[in-house]
Amino acid sequence: MMRILFSVIAFSIFQLVNAQNLAGLEGSWELISENKKPAELNTVRIYQDGFFAEGAKEGDYEFIEAKGGIYEIEGSSYTEKFEFNSAEKEKVGNINNLVVEVTKDTLKFEGQDYSQTWLKISDYQNDLSGVWIITGRERDGAMQRREIGDRKTIKILNGTRFQWIAYNSATGDFFATGGGTYSASYGKYIENIEFFSKDDFRVGASLTFDYQLMNNEWNHRGKSSSGDPIYEIWSPYKASEIIQD
């Protein structure tokens, strides 16, 4: 009986420590150096709820690449597994094991002949901070719900930054992404587009939507970047569900 109780306590402590470690990374980070040299691209990475997404552009407009997936951290050990990689499809499913050092404002990774330093740009939280997957879209006046499958569109929000990604987690195919800064308050959600993989002419646009959280889902209404009216439903998407896909 004492052995069982000890095991339960030990597992609970592990879960608490792991959750604290994950929370230490949560927020938005900008890459400032890679392999001891200043970063060449404008790259932002978002961490939230065991998931990360990264978007890189050159200059003000040119989208370069996007990558992301799930991660775990325990002490100084960091592991990430790619769910999508726009530049190198063959790396989807690959696992990176790195040494990590996290301080209040700085994130450092060290691997074999590899290093990165990131600067935290925000960790502000609001009621839309999270990882979301689209599960409903209105068509011809009727809401059409969809099951979560291999082909998916997710959106990660944290630290005033957002990124959405459309991809197939089974085949590694990447379809599109976009991201930038956002705000969400008093039922108004505003996106400021800083990169867009399909059309860089949309960079610089600001889009305003109405939002409402109902039954733990994000109801999203407004007009798309192309001006078409949209009504979407986004559901929470957890790392544990990603692993099971």
Side-chain angles (χ1 to χ4, degrees):
M1 183 65 182
M2 288 298 295
R3 181 177 297 175
I4 295 175
L5 180 60
F6 176 78
S7 298
V8 171
I9 293 173
F11 180 70
S12 299
I13 293 173
F14 171 79
Q15 287 186 312
L16 176 61
V17 171
N18 189 53
Q20 290 173 337
N21 286 333
L22 293 177
L25 281 186
E26 289 191 351
S28 302
W29 305 81
E30 183 176 1
L31 182 64
I32 58 175
S33 70
E34 191 164 23
N35 297 327
K36 311 302 182 182
K37 297 180 181 179
E40 296 181 356
L41 300 175
N42 183 347
T43 305
V44 171
R45 179 175 280 205
I46 308 170
Y47 282 99
Q48 177 71 27
D49 295 338
F51 196 90
F52 74 96
E54 175 183 317
K57 66 177 184 177
E58 187 171 19
D60 294 330
Y61 297 96
E62 185 181 357
F63 169 79
I64 301 298
E65 64 178 359
K67 64 184 73 170
I70 57 177
Y71 75 95
E72 293 180 347
I73 179 172
E74 183 177 356
S76 61
S77 177
Y78 171 89
T79 304
E80 62 184 17
K81 180 180 179 181
F82 290 109
E83 279 275 304
F84 59 91
N85 190 316
S86 67
E88 299 175 287
K89 172 183 174 180
E90 66 276 7
K91 289 190 175 181
V92 171
N94 284 9
I95 295 174
N96 283 341
N97 293 299
L98 302 169
V99 176
V100 65
E101 179 183 345
V102 188
T103 62
K104 181 179 179 181
D105 298 316
T106 306
L107 170 62
K108 294 182 179 181
F109 291 120
E110 295 283 347
Q112 186 174 4
D113 301 321
Y114 173 82
S115 66
Q116 284 184 332
T117 300
W118 300 75
L119 180 68
K120 180 172 281 188
I121 52 180
S122 181
D123 58 6
Y124 175 78
Q125 296 274 327
N126 56 44
D127 54 7
L128 289 185
S129 297
V131 184
W132 304 86
I133 183 166
I134 192 166
T135 55
R137 178 172 289 158
E138 187 177 72
R139 298 187 187 277
D140 300 323
M143 177 59 66
Q144 297 181 359
R145 300 302 296 249
R146 61 175 67 177
E147 297 293 328
I148 296 176
D150 294 329
R151 180 164 180 159
K152 61 198 71 175
T153 299
I154 65 168
K155 184 176 286 192
I156 178 171
L157 299 97
N158 187 300
T160 71
R161 307 288 305 197
F162 80 94
Q163 184 175 349
W164 62 266
I165 314 99
Y167 65 101
N168 188 309
S169 57
T171 65
D173 290 328
F174 175 87
F175 304 116
T177 190
T181 63
Y182 83 98
S183 62
S185 61
Y186 301 105
K188 292 293 182 182
Y189 170 76
I190 301 173
E191 289 185 347
N192 305 297
I193 301 174
E194 294 189 357
F195 64 90
F196 198 100
S197 63
K198 285 189 171 182
D199 185 357
D200 57 18
F201 286 104
R202 297 180 185 177
V203 172
S206 292
L207 307 176
T208 300
F209 303 90
D210 295 321
Y211 81 88
Q212 187 176 13
L213 293 175
M214 299 174 60
N215 300 319
N216 203 34
E217 293 183 318
W218 170 11
N219 288 249
H220 179 78
R221 296 176 182 265
K223 292 186 177 181
S224 69
S225 57
S226 60
D228 299 322
I230 60 171
Y231 174 23
E232 299 171 338
I233 294 177
W234 297 75
S235 301
Y237 196 34
K238 302 298 183 183
S240 58
E241 296 169 340
I242 297 169
I243 293 171
Q244 293 170 6
D245 284 350

